[in-house]
Amino acid sequence: EIVLTQSPGTLSLSPGERATLSCRASQSVSSSYLGWYQQKPGQAPRLLIYGASSRATGIPDRFSGSGSGTDFTLTISRLEPEDFAVYYCQQYGSPPYAFGQGTKLEIK
Amino acid sequence: EVQLLESGGGLVQPGGSLRLSCAASGFTFSNYAMSWVRQAPGKGLEWVSTLSPSGSTTYSTDSAKGRFTISRDNSKSTLFLQMNSLIAEDTAIYYCARGSLVTAGRGDYWGQGALVTVSS
């Protein structure tokens, strides 16, 4: 069973700044089947990144994903006000398809 | 437009049962794996169960095995989650999510969720 650990737990930044979120897996994620989701209060999650680095449909290019094996990163190049939310990583290569515990991105 | 609409949530006593439904539209339901993901109040996302497009293969988290059953009716484009022996820790918003054509457990599209409250 793969366990995902996200860091930091909370990230305080200002609009226009760059955000770097980390997701570390307890064992290698097969075929880079790693996704990133954004969730805003009262809303369902939204897929941002799949396959570690591919943007989902309609996702702005300020969002990018990288990494392989056990270390993955979500980068938001220039934060917009609507980007402040909670972000989750998920591995979907082998069940159980676990999520990380989340990183809350808050306005500084 | 892909749409997923959950229903069947509500208040249930500990030990009781509940059946959630997820009505899908805007895509060929029988081509995609479908999943249930839950979120306890103020907590993170927890994957619960995934069902293959044909309904022949299921994957479930340990906490769901033996109590929760995922199923689907491809003729009605509907996904189900039968939950038995419910406990307080099952209180959560339950989301249904559509996978991709290639991978089962990914959540490409999500419903708005159904709230399940287990309390006496």
Side-chain angles (χ1 to χ4, degrees):
Chain A
E1 177 176 339
I2 298 176
V3 176
L4 301 179
T5 302
Q6 293 185 239
S7 61
T10 302
L11 186 57
S12 300
L13 293 170
S14 301
E17 291 193 294
R18 180 186 185 92
T20 303
L21 286 66
S22 174
C23 177
R24 177 162 290 178
S26 59
Q27 54 188 281
S28 184
V29 176
S30 60
S31 303
S32 291
Y33 283 164
L34 191 287
W36 289 93
Y37 301 83
Q38 178 194 67
Q39 188 180 32
K40 297 179 181 180
Q43 295 186 16
R46 176 176 70 148
L47 179 68
L48 300 174
I49 300 289
Y50 64 92
S53 60
S54 298
R55 274 187 300 274
T57 303
I59 302 303
D61 60 7
R62 64 180 181 274
F63 291 91
S64 63
S66 62
S68 64
T70 61
D71 288 300
F72 300 88
T73 300
L74 174 69
T75 301
I76 311 172
S77 58
R78 294 173 306 280
L79 286 167
E80 298 287 343
E82 62 267 28
D83 298 337
F84 292 92
V86 180
Y87 293 83
Y88 296 93
C89 58
Q90 182 206 20
Q91 73 82 18
Y92 51 92
S94 60
Y97 302 126
F99 290 89
Q101 81 279 18
T103 289
K104 182 179 181 181
L105 179 55
E106 65 177 23
I107 298 177
K108 187 174 182 180
Chain B
E1 179 190 5
V2 173
Q3 290 193 347
L4 300 170
L5 183 61
E6 300 93 340
S7 61
L11 175 64
V12 60
Q13 292 188 338
S17 298
L18 211 56
R19 188 196 200 200
L20 302 181
S21 300
C22 172
S25 61
F27 64 100
T28 304
F29 183 74
S30 59
N31 286 350
Y32 292 86
M34 298 292 296
S35 299
W36 289 99
V37 176
R38 70 183 181 180
Q39 187 169 36
K43 302 298 184 182
L45 301 174
E46 180 186 15
W47 172 78
V48 175
S49 190
T50 294
L51 183 60
S52 64
S54 67
S56 61
T57 303
T58 64
Y59 305 103
S60 297
T61 189
D62 286 346
S63 62
K65 289 176 183 176
R67 298 192 302 126
F68 294 1
T69 301
I70 188 172
S71 62
R72 64 194 294 160
D73 184 339
N74 284 346
S75 68
K76 296 182 178 179
S77 297
T78 303
L79 178 73
F80 303 101
L81 185 68
Q82 177 67 44
M83 302 184 292
N84 299 328
S85 304
L86 285 161
I87 59 178
E89 289 74 21
D90 295 321
T91 295
I93 296 173
Y94 285 73
Y95 296 101
C96 70
R98 195 200 81 175
S100 73
L101 283 172
V102 177
T103 56
R106 195 174 92 191
D108 284 16
Y109 293 92
W110 297 64
Q112 282 305 301
L115 177 61
V116 173
T117 303
V118 183
S119 176
S120 55

